[in-house]
Amino acid sequence: MNLLTSWLFDPANWSGSTGVPARLVEHLWYTALALVIAVVIGFPLGAMVGHTKRGGFVLVGAANVLRALPTVGVLTLVVLLAGIGLIPPIAALTLLAIPPIMAGAYAGIGAVEPVVVDAARGVGMTEREILFQVEIPNAMPLIFGGVRSAALQVVATATIAAYVGLGGFGRYVFDGLALHDYPQMAGGAILVAVLAVLVELVLTGVQRLVVSPGLRPVRTSGGIQR
Amino acid sequence: MIEFQAVTKRFDDGTVAVDELNLTVDPGRITVFVGPSGCGKTTSLRMINRMIDATSGAILVDGKDVRQSDPPLLRRGIGYVIQQAGLFPHRTVLDNVATVPVLAGWSRAKARKRAAELLETVGLPATMAGRYPAQLSGGQQQRVGVARALAVDPPVLLMDEPFSAVDPVVREDLQNELLRLQGELDKTIVFVTHDIDEAIKLGDKVAVFRTGGILAQYDKPSELLARPADDFVSNFVGRDRGYRALGFLTASGLTVGEIASVQLGDTAGDARRKLSDGWIVVVDERRHPCGWLSADRLSGVDENATVDADLVMSGGSLYDTEHGSLRSALDSALSSPSAHGVAVNGGGELVGSITADEVLRALAAARTSGEVPQ
Ligand SMILES: Nc1ncnc2c1ncn2[C@@H]1O[C@H](COP(=O)(O)OP(=O)(O)OP(=O)(O)O)[C@@H](O)[C@H]1O
Ligand SMILES: [Mg+2]
């Protein structure tokens, strides 16, 4: 027990430029940056394919290829191409986040009931209005599911930034490893795990705000149903 | 108002869904498209608001070819109601109804005010405004669908089997409601159904389609029943068409006979003394019929026992002497346990009895006077 927590509860590790708060800000910065880029790239692609119902095969194939890429391999490759810096870890994390975000948007929009889309068109919505006013709001639960799973993976994997000399909670893991300082390693790992749980909680809260109450699962005596 | 000029629709796979359709829909009337499954009713309807584009021919709405209009703009000016209502699950009932006004650029407040009025028009309580579609019954969803279609007061309403997914009782309510609404609004309504009874009940005119998208007959319902154009139409309108045709004959020539009655709360002895042919009608304090008593039913009941709802046997359908047709008169006689149909006035008060013989006599009279075609 002491081995796990001695480092974590030492006040000396909670201040300064290498302290937990500073590393937290770095870790969140990498995470947010990678997620935003992944949303900007993956969401429109998934949404367009979901709306037009064209190219689903290509999109699923591309997502699977991306999923199969080893993150550390991507990181190394980008370092070789672009040198040390922020680009390699962000690129690797972005590629990690794109598949779930893209698949969530595609599956969510593709699953909006055809009769609802037909009605939207029938009352005179343009294709753009159908997408923004009907398909995206109705797909929100699945879109958010994709974003949440991307966020979790990125939070956990953002430790690799330290592998190429940057900060974040990964520092504690890699430094601890190099120095055989196991309490520090354990502390880093615990911090990442706690952060992942917190991010999940926050995103769940945000999801409650952005998903229409009309789409919430209906609670019945027999359990939870759609 | 709406004119089909030699309209043909051939889908990419070669299916001809509509073949050279020529038809004029009368303004301010309900026109029903009816026919077996796959005969091209939906396709014909959806070509009006360009949900489907015709392969050849032209469709004019108010004299203007629909192909000259931008589809979304065209559709905003034409109400559209579909089978499963197609409400937006993420929007409240009120915002569903406000959809088209908002698209048309109204302020949200004004659109919602209009939506609230419409909920009342279609008979939904204001408390439903804040609900989501998943919290409504099928019949309620359908009403919201109609309100949504009426929101910007379009002159034309397209309805594709709007009532076929609800149970028969609710369906009849919705049909009556539509007729009531139409009495106030005078829309040009094109209504698709595969149910000939619904077509005859609702249609000012009925277009019967046969498979392959060919128009078999386009006529008033009474004509359709009296003079089907060919075997297909006569088979389609069905074996009961003679009986159904009675629905178009007013029962004005019908003589209403005497009927014995007691009021709830009277004694069994009173009832027994007044029996006529072994039967007596029971009415409530407003003289609305609530059922029958028979000699059998009364046997063994104490002389001073009061006649209450438990003792009364339920009756058949009622015949309304002010609005009823020969069909409803005949039905009241056939469905009554005593073989005497119960006739009421427009206010629902008991006025007398009707027998099947009397209905047939009135029918024979109508035949000789030429009201019924031979
Ligand atoms: N998109 C399409 N592609 C190919 N064929 C189609 C398409 N839509 C409809 N059809 C065919 O056109 C014909 C007419 O279809 P339509 O939907 O108009 O029938 P309907 O009279 O409305 O039938 P129902 O009572 O079953 O709704 C059918 O044979 C149908 O299979
Ligand atoms: Mg149809």
Side-chain angles (χ1 to χ4, degrees), chain B residues 11 13 15-17 35-44 160-161 192 194:
Chain B
F11 284 106
D13 64 359
T15 313
V16 177
S37 188
C39 68
K41 308 178 292 287
T42 297
T43 306
S44 301
D160 192 353
E161 306 208 22
V192 165
H194 57 250

Side-chain angles (χ1 to χ4, degrees), chain B residues 119-139:
Chain B
L119 288 184
E120 200 184 322
T121 308
V122 299
L124 282 174
T127 49
M128 299 239 162
R131 290 210 199 165
Y132 287 92
Q135 300 167 314
L136 302 182
S137 71

